[in-house]
C-alpha cells in the first residue's frame, strides 16, 4: 500500500480540497485525511501511479509538493540532517567569507560544490584558505548576526524526539556552528569539520579528516549501528551534492529546497513546504507538532 501526501507552503496555506479529491479519484485512492487544514493532506493508493512525475511537475506550478511512498514504515526512528541551507537558511562559510571580504568568491565556489560540479573536500580546503587571518571571534559575531534557523526545524526535531526518535546534525560546515544550532534545536549530537585557529585568528586550514559526502554515510551507519537501528529507520534531509550518499541510503531521503542535480536523484523533494513538511510526510498532523 502506498500513501500520497500533498503539501503546500505554510504561509499561503492554499491547498485546494478540490485538487486533492480530483487526484484521489484519478488514482483510485482512499478517503482523504487532512493533516493540516488547507496545507497538507494524504490518501492511500494500491500502487504508485504511472504518471507520478508528470503530476508532480504540474503540481509544482501550483506550489504543491507531492510525495508518494510506502505506507508501512514511513514514521522514522532517527533524523539525520544537514545544517547549511537545511536546518539554517545560510551557508556558514559564505557568511564568514563575507566578513573576510571574499564573500562573492567563496559563495561561487560553494554553489558549484553543492551542485556537484567540484570535489567537496578540495572546494572546502580552498574556501577555508581564503579565511586566513580572520579573527576567531568573528565566528560568534556571525552566529549572532547572520545565522537564522530554517522554519519548522524546532518542530521537526522535537516532534520526532517526542515519539522516541534520535536526532543527529551532520554537516560539511564547522563545529563552531553545529554546536550552537544543535543545542538550540534539540539535536542529540552533531558532527562537522573543525576550523583551526592560532593566536586568535583562523589559520586558513581545517582539521582532518574532512567530513564530506562519505563521512555523512559513515555517520548514518555508525549511529544506526550504535542505536540498534537500520538505514530504513532513518529520515535524512539535505540540499547539496555532498548529501546524496546519506539521502540515498536512508529509508526516506528528502531533498529540501535542493540543487537541481540533487533533486533529480531523490524521490522525495520538498520545494514549497518548510521543515514541518517532513513531519507531514511521516503522517504527523499539525496538532501533534511539538512547538
Amino acid at each position: 500500500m502506498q500513501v500520497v501526501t500533498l503539501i503546500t507552503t505554510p504561509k499561503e496555506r492554499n491547498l485546494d480540497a478540490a485538487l486533492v479529491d480530483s487526484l484521489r479519484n484519478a488514482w483510485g485512492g482512499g478517503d482523504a485525511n487532512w493533516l493540516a487544514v488547507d496545507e497538507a493532506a494524504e490518501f492511500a493508493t494500491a500502487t504508485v501511479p504511472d504518471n507520478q512525475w508528470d503530476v508532480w511537475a504540474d503540481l509544482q506550478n501550483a506550489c504543491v509538493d507531492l510525495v508518494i511512498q510506502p505506507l508501512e514504515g514511513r514514521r522514522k526512528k532517527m533524523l539525520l540532517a544537514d545544517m547549511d541551507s537545511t536546518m539554517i537558511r545560510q551557508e556558514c562559510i559564505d557568511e564568514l567569507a563575507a566578513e573576510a571580504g571574499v564573500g562573492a568568491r567563496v559563495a561561487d565556489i560553494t554553489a558549484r560544490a553543492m551542485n556537484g560540479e567540484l570535489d567537496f573536500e578540495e572546494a572546502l580546503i580552498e574556501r577555508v584558505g581564503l579565511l586566513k587571518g580572520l579573527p576567531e571571534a568573528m565566528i560568534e559575531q556571525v552566529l549572532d548576526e547572520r545565522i537564522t534557523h530554517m522554519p519548522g526545524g524546532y518542530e521537526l526535531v522535537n516532534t520526532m524526539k517526542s515519539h522516541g526518535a534520535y536526532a543527529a546534525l551532520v554537516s560539511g560546515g564547522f563545529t563552531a556552528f553545529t554546536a550552537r544550532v544543535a543545542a538550540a534545536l534539540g539535536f542529540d549530537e552533531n558532527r562537522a569539520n573543525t576550523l583551526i585557529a592560532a593566536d586568535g585568528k583562523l589559520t586558513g586550514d581545517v582539521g582532518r579528516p574532512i567530513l564530506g559526502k562519505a563521512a555523512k554515510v559513515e555517520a548514518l551507519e555508525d549511529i544506526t549501528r550504535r542505536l540498534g537501528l537500520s538505514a530504513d529507520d532513518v529520515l535524512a534531509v539535505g540540499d547539496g551534492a555532498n548529501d546524496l550518499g546519506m539521502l540515498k541510503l536512508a529509508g526516506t531521503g528528502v531533498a529540501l529546497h535542493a540543487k537541481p542535480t540533487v533533486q533529480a536523484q531523490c524521490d522525495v523533494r520538498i520545494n514549497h513546504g518548510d521543515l514541518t513538511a517532513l513531519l507531514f510526510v511521516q503522517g504527523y498532523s499539525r496538532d501533534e507538532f511539538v512547538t
Side-chain angles (χ1 to χ4, degrees):
M1 184 65 69
Q2 304 291 311
V3 60
V4 177
T5 310
L6 299 159
I7 307 162
T8 191
T9 168
K11 289 186 177 180
E12 277 72 23
R13 297 174 63 92
N14 58 356
L15 184 59
D16 188 353
L19 183 153
V20 175
D21 286 340
S22 175
L23 192 60
R24 180 177 62 82
N25 290 333
W27 285 347
D31 292 340
N33 173 36
W34 283 85
L35 301 169
V37 177
D38 298 331
E39 183 184 356
E42 63 180 16
F43 59 85
T45 62
T47 59
V48 176
D50 292 336
N51 62 341
Q52 172 186 357
W53 294 111
D54 291 334
V55 173
W56 177 87
D58 288 342
L59 290 175
Q60 287 293 292
N61 295 326
C63 295
V64 175
D65 291 316
L66 168 70
V67 176
I68 303 177
Q69 61 181 322
L71 177 62
E72 185 177 355
R74 64 170 166 158
R75 190 164 288 196
K76 301 304 182 183
K77 299 175 182 178
M78 176 177 155
L79 171 66
L80 187 66
D82 173 45
M83 180 181 70
D84 296 83
S85 298
T86 300
M87 299 307 299
I88 62 174
R89 292 178 179 271
Q90 298 79 20
E91 295 282 338
C92 59
I93 195 167
D94 292 0
E95 302 304 320
L96 287 172
E99 295 292 344
V102 290
R105 184 175 175 186
V106 168
D108 176 66
I109 298 171
T110 298
R112 288 188 288 144
M114 292 302 98
N115 203 40
E117 299 170 26
L118 301 173
D119 177 81
F120 178 82
E121 293 190 11
E122 292 177 2
L124 183 67
I125 292 169
E126 180 181 359
R127 287 176 290 164
V128 171
L130 294 171
L131 302 179
K132 184 177 180 179
L134 187 70
E136 188 177 12
M138 192 59 68
I139 293 174
E140 288 298 315
Q141 183 175 327
V142 167
L143 276 161
D144 291 338
E145 299 178 0
R146 289 178 172 267
I147 301 302
T148 56
H149 297 156
M150 194 71 77
Y154 183 89
E155 291 87 342
L156 171 63
V157 172
N158 291 282
T159 301
M160 288 187 66
K161 286 183 63 177
S162 73
H163 286 80
Y166 188 86
L169 185 65
V170 182
S171 173
F174 309 113
T175 53
F177 290 83
T178 59
R180 188 191 286 194
V181 172
L185 297 179
F187 281 92
D188 294 296
E189 70 173 90
N190 68 94
R191 301 184 182 193
N193 294 301
T194 303
L195 285 170
I196 298 176
D199 301 321
K201 294 184 178 181
L202 300 184
T203 65
D205 201 4
V206 61
R208 306 296 197 279
I210 290 174
L211 195 155
K213 181 177 179 179
K216 291 192 176 190
V217 172
E218 290 170 8
L220 187 155
E221 294 173 337
D222 175 51
I223 297 169
T224 53
R225 181 169 54 248
R226 190 179 77 220
L227 298 176
L229 302 175
S230 72
D232 285 342
D233 295 318
V234 178
L235 184 150
V237 57
D239 73 301
N242 62 319
D243 298 315
L244 276 169
M246 71 173 186
L247 295 181
K248 291 181 177 181
L249 182 59
T252 300
V254 181
L256 181 83
H257 304 169
K259 309 302 183 288
T261 55
V262 178
Q263 288 199 45
Q265 299 180 62
C266 295
D267 289 337
V268 181
R269 311 165 186 174
I270 300 298
N271 291 322
H272 302 289
D274 63 15
L275 283 164
T276 60
L278 278 63
L279 293 172
F280 293 136
V281 166
Q282 296 179 80
Y284 290 102
S285 60
R286 183 163 285 281
D287 60 12
E288 293 179 275
F289 290 2
V290 174
T291 58

